[in-house]
Every structure is written in C-alpha cells, then in structure tokens.
C-alpha cells in the first residue's frame, strides 16, 4: 500500500468539492460549508460548471481549471458523471477521491463502480467510497463530509461502513463525552478497504485507538 497516496486522501492539504452548490440543503453546499466551519487550513476549491462564487470562494467550472495542486476531491455529482470526473481528477494529479455520491453497487451498478476504480488506478489515485458520508478529522481541522460537525476531540478513530451510524456517533460523542480524532466513512469499498485504513491509522500520531464498524 502506498501510504503517501493515502496521506493525500486522508490528510489533504487542498480539497476540491466537485458538485459544490450555492443552494442550502444540497450535499454540495453542506460539504463546502462544513469545511469552512471546521476552519480547514488548506485550500478549498468548489467545482461547479457555472463557475462564479460559492460561499465566498471562487468556483471553477472544472477541476482542470484550478491553478493550484489538489490532494483530495470530494465528489457529490450524480453517479453517471463520476467516471468522467475521475478521469479529469487523474489528469489534474489528484491523489484520492472521496466519493460521497451514491448510485453504485448498492443499487446494482457494480459496473459503474468498477469503472471508476479502474480509471482511478490508471492515474495512481485511490478511491474512498462510493456511497459515503465523508471524512472528519479534528487534528486536521477537516470536515469533508455532510455530517453536521467535527466530533468531540479525542484519540480514537472510527471507520464505519454505515453512514447512518457514523452520523449518530458524531452527535453522541458530545452526549457521552467520548472523544474521537477521526470519523471515516468507508462505504462500498471497491478500493480503499478496512485493511488499508488500519495500516494507515496505525502510523497516525493522532490515533491511539482504532475502531471498526463492519456490516455483515
């Protein structure tokens, strides 16, 4: 496993939100809003075909138009567009995709999922998801997800196949006073899997305990 590539995916210094929106309630709006509210210190690049400005940030029509480097791309466009987006991200040199978009193997579209992973691997990228909530990390001040807020700070990490459980845990960290540094949604797992996550978290200085929620 290439830990450097996973560093770009899980500890990005610059994030593109592909499918960013100016409309409250849309996932593309929420992900941008959460990155801003978590006080993420890296560059945030909203991507929307209309360009313009989204939540005070300059928006770009394509990831290929972004002037700076991009480590990770949070993808919230319809599933049918994700293969083309993956190709553009590969051409841009993105290290990893956080595919929040759904509509893949969970609804019988294994072919679409396999296509995305195949394209990603052609460019040396890794794919987290699809069909995930996203990534939350206190130590990186990064809420690249549609979960409402970063969890209560701590040294534990949770990797969950269930998005609903991850969102519930996010809130319950404050109620139960149990801190987490990271909450990571893993989804359908055609590429990045639990073994990858355990290996990466094992070398993460901010993680003192690794917990997994594995669906049957």
């Amino acid at each position: 496993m290439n830990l450097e590539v996973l560093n770009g995916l899980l500890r990005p210094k610059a994030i593109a939100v592909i499918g960013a929106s100016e409309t409250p309630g849309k996932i593309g709006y929420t992900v941008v809003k959460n990155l801003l509210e978590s006080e993420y210190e890296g560059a945030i690049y909203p991507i929307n075909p209309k360009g313009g400005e989204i939540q005070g940030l300059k928006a770009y029509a394509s990831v290929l138009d972004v002037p700076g480097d991009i480590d990770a791309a949070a993808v919230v466009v319809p599933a049918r567009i994700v293969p083309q987006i993956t190709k553009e991200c590969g051409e841009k040199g993105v290290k990893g995709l956080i595919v929040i978009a759904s509509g893949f193997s969970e609804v019988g579209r294994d072919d679409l999922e396999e296509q995305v992973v195949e394209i990603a691997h052609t460019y040396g990228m890794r794919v987290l998801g699809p069909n995930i909530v996203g990534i939350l990390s206190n130590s990186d001040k990064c809420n690249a997800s549609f979960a409402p807020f970063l969890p209560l700070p701590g040294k534990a990490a949770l990797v969950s196949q269930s998005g609903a459980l991850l969102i519930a845990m996010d809130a319950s960290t404050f109620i139960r006073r149990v801190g987490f540094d990271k909450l990571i949604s893993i989804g359908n797992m055609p590429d990045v899997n639990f073994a990858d996550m355990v290996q990466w978290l094992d070398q993460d200085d901010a993680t003192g305990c690794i917990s997994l929620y594995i669906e049957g």
Side-chain angles (χ1 to χ4, degrees):
M1 180 184 68
N2 189 330
L3 288 177
E4 184 181 350
V5 173
L6 281 186
N7 284 340
L9 175 62
L10 300 169
R11 183 168 286 131
K13 295 178 181 177
I15 298 177
V17 181
I18 303 176
S21 174
E22 190 65 9
T23 305
K26 289 196 171 183
I27 293 178
Y29 176 92
T30 302
V31 174
V32 175
K33 174 175 172 285
N34 286 348
L35 282 167
L36 291 169
E37 291 186 350
S38 63
E39 300 180 354
Y40 176 67
E41 294 174 350
I44 305 169
Y45 299 112
I47 309 297
N48 185 293
K50 297 177 182 176
E53 187 175 283
I54 292 177
Q55 298 183 56
L57 300 170
K58 177 175 173 56
Y60 297 87
S62 165
V63 71
L64 295 170
D65 297 333
V66 174
D69 293 334
I70 300 169
D71 284 329
V75 181
V76 295
V77 298
R80 68 181 185 279
I81 305 173
V82 176
Q84 177 60 33
I85 293 298
T86 302
K87 183 175 183 294
E88 291 176 4
C89 286
E91 292 171 357
K92 177 62 182 174
V94 175
K95 292 177 181 174
L97 303 181
I98 304 165
V99 185
I100 295 171
S102 57
F104 294 89
S105 64
E106 79 280 3
V107 294
R109 290 304 309 270
D110 300 65
D111 58 322
L112 201 55
E113 196 167 277
E114 291 165 5
Q115 185 182 2
V116 168
V117 173
E118 183 179 347
I119 295 169
H121 286 184
T122 299
Y123 292 95
M125 291 189 295
R126 298 299 303 271
V127 178
L128 183 68
N131 189 32
I132 63 173
V133 172
I135 296 174
L136 301 92
S137 173
N138 270 308
S139 55
D140 299 299
K141 296 183 180 178
C142 178
N143 183 0
S145 81
F146 61 86
F149 35 66
L150 288 173
L152 181 76
K155 292 286 286 183
L158 169 65
V159 183
S160 175
Q161 259 185 300
S162 167
L165 178 105
L166 186 137
I167 291 173
M169 285 294 295
D170 189 18
S172 67
T173 60
F174 293 93
I175 297 168
R176 299 177 183 274
R177 310 303 295 173
V178 177
F180 281 82
D181 184 64
K182 292 177 179 66
L183 298 177
I184 299 172
S185 179
I186 201 166
N188 297 356
M189 287 195 307
D191 185 19
V192 174
N193 57 31
F194 283 113
D196 293 322
M197 292 304 313
V198 169
Q199 189 175 347
W200 187 84
L201 289 167
D202 182 54
Q203 56 79 51
D204 176 39
D205 292 338
T207 300
C209 168
I210 301 170
S211 52
L212 311 175
Y213 181 80
I214 304 172
E215 294 181 334

